Amino acid sequence: MRSQKSHPLWVGTSWKMNKTLAEADRFIDELLTFPIPNGIQPFVLPPHTALARLRDRLPADSPILLGAQNAHWAAEGSWTGEISMRMAKDAGATLIEIGHSDRRQHFGETDRTVALKVAAAVAHGLTPLICVGEPLAVRSVGGAEDFVRVQLQNALSEMAPAAIGQVIIAYEPIWAIGEHGNPASVDQVAGVMALINEVVAAAGSSAWAVLYGGSVETENAARLLSDPNTHGLFVGRAAWEASGFIELLKLCARLAGAGAEAATTSSPILPWTATAALH
Ligand code: PEP
């Protein structure tokens, strides 16, 4: 685990296709009762419908980052049903999730569209959160690392090496995700987490953070974070209730040694402040 002194411990959730505005309000109201500890970087990816609502409800100095679960690479145009990076940013997104296996499996997302979206996110001053991960059939024949290497190299292929330090990568083995997923052990993910860090280094930088996702809960979070190449957790079901998210934040704060002290600076640690030239 990284020390909180040099890097925050990332803990975030995607709500996927869940929550009405009233439900989103209840979540954020409860979350706001919890002072975010130092050393923790929380983020929430609501559905597009709730993004601006959460932005408006979060205090301006909140350390909680918001993001969208997808956005198109084109700046604007006739792309029915999509939103652009600019629109996501306008609605409050700092992060853009790109390439989740749901999108690859059900909505025609490919390595090529992932690469276009990653480049578009960076061009708009957004932080891509790139999801990679192999299916069970690939893992079963020992192909996980090769599979993720190719996915990641393709995802970064449209970016300038200098921008790679602004991406977040989430390793989410498909077999570990969702209600039918089998939680991964740290031994099962350690090799891929190391590989991700190597691929990014070979591309000319180090990622801003490399997260693990897939059936994370309070019971396995500490074990998963014991891997030195894992800089945080990306969580679905276990964080859909604010109480569950808060429990994970508390646990991560203890692991990061942050204690219960609330963050004194509200500014999230964003690379964009130092790299505006990329716009
Ligand atoms: C996911 O689908 O990205 C995910 C991490 O879900 P869960 O935590 O529910 O397995």
Side-chain angles (χ1 to χ4, degrees), residues 14 16 97 100-102 131 172 176-179 181 212-217 234-240:
S14 162
K16 306 189 189 179
E97 183 178 6
H100 187 277
S101 60
D102 285 346
C131 298
E172 300 207 309
I177 289 177
E179 56 184 317
Y212 168 79
S215 294
V216 171
E217 51 189 21
F234 189 25
V235 190
R237 291 157 297 149
W240 285 349

Side-chain angles (χ1 to χ4, degrees), residues 10-16 18-19 23-24 26-28 30-31 41-47 54 64 69 172 178 212-221 233-250 252:
W10 290 75
V11 191
T13 181
S14 162
W15 292 351
K16 306 189 189 179
N18 291 290
K19 296 197 194 296
E23 289 161 350
R26 280 199 289 278
F27 180 102
I28 213 71
E30 189 174 343
L31 182 57
Q41 178 58 74
F43 65 90
V44 177
L45 312 184
L54 294 194
I64 300 166
Q69 299 171 22
E172 300 207 309
Y212 168 79
S215 294
V216 171
E217 51 189 21
T218 47
E219 197 273 322
N220 59 15
L233 300 171
F234 189 25
V235 190
R237 291 157 297 149
W240 285 349
E241 296 297 330
S243 55
F245 193 36
I246 290 170
E247 283 312 307
L248 279 163
L249 292 172
K250 282 184 188 163
C252 289

Side-chain angles (χ1 to χ4, degrees), residues 71-247:
H72 200 274
W73 62 86
E76 59 190 0
S78 193
W79 298 98
T80 302
E82 293 285 325
I83 67 164
S84 69
M85 298 292 167
R86 185 166 154 256
M87 291 157 68
K89 188 174 180 178
D90 182 53
T94 297
L95 310 174
I96 299 288
E97 183 178 6
I98 301 172
H100 187 277
S101 60
D102 285 346
R103 302 229 39 104
R104 294 178 191 260
Q105 187 181 350
H106 303 299
F107 300 101
E109 191 86 274
T110 64
D111 281 4
R112 177 71 186 146
T113 60
V114 167
L116 292 172
K117 291 178 180 185
V118 169
V122 170
H124 283 86
L126 291 160
T127 296
L129 194 173
I130 305 168
C131 298
V132 293
E134 79 288 354
L136 183 59
V138 170
R139 159 80 46 171
S140 312
V141 295
E145 291 182 20
D146 284 344
F147 187 93
V148 169
R149 179 186 289 106
V150 171
Q151 268 191 335
L152 188 52
Q153 284 171 338
N154 287 338
L156 302 177
S157 62
E158 293 290 326
M159 292 182 76
I164 291 172
Q166 289 135 19
V167 304
I168 298 173
I169 296 153
Y171 172 49
E172 300 207 309
I174 297 171
W175 47 270
I177 289 177
E179 56 184 317
H180 303 298
N182 292 311
S185 69
V186 69
D187 289 343
Q188 286 174 305
V189 304
V192 181
M193 299 307 274
L195 174 268
I196 290 172
N197 283 276
E198 280 163 25
V199 169
V200 174
S205 188
S206 63
W208 195 21
V210 182
L211 316 183
Y212 168 79
S215 294
V216 171
E217 51 189 21
T218 47
E219 197 273 322
N220 59 15
R223 280 197 299 282
L224 290 160
L225 286 170
S226 68
D227 172 58
N229 293 305
T230 301
H231 314 141
L233 300 171
F234 189 25
V235 190
R237 291 157 297 149
W240 285 349
E241 296 297 330
S243 55
F245 193 36
I246 290 170
E247 283 312 307

Side-chain angles (χ1 to χ4, degrees), residues 21 24-26 28-29 32 51-60:
L21 291 179
D25 286 348
R26 280 199 289 278
I28 213 71
D29 287 347
L32 287 174
L51 193 46
R53 177 68 152 248
L54 294 194
R55 177 204 55 200
D56 293 345
R57 287 185 82 100
L58 284 181

